[in-house]
Amino acid sequence: NAGTMGIFPNPTQGPFMVVAEGLEDPVVQIVVVDARGAVVHSQSAIISGGAVRQPLEVPLTAGIHMVLLIGGEDTRGQKVVVR
């Protein structure tokens, strides 16, 4: 897959932006998983022009979390460090 994914700012102390390109599905799920593997947040995001820019204002505990972007056959993941 030639698509990209990023999280900004990373590390973060609060809200952050999930950015991805090269998406084919009209809607994706954004799932945030904590270090224990528990889902701490899940939401849908609408894709426009094959890309998504979704701000997340989720109260997360300090530590490393995995942000997953799931759409059809395409799953991407990126770690985010919360301070």
Side-chain angles (χ1 to χ4, degrees):
N1 188 331
T4 61
M5 177 179 175
I7 295 173
F8 308 98
N10 191 6
T12 183
Q13 293 181 322
F16 57 93
M17 179 84 66
V18 177
V19 178
E21 296 178 348
L23 299 164
E24 296 181 9
D25 287 57
V27 178
V28 294
Q29 280 295 116
I30 298 174
V31 179
V32 183
V33 180
D34 69 13
R36 299 183 328 264
V39 173
V40 294
H41 179 74
S42 180
Q43 72 178 68
S44 298
I46 296 176
I47 305 308
S48 176
V52 65
R53 292 180 56 85
Q54 182 67 47
L56 289 185
E57 295 187 36
V58 182
L60 297 174
T61 57
I64 299 173
H65 299 267
M66 179 65 77
V67 179
L68 301 172
L69 200 69
I70 304 166
E73 302 287 318
D74 189 1
T75 299
R76 303 176 193 185
Q78 177 97 26
K79 290 180 182 174
V80 60
V81 177
V82 179
R83 297 194 190 272

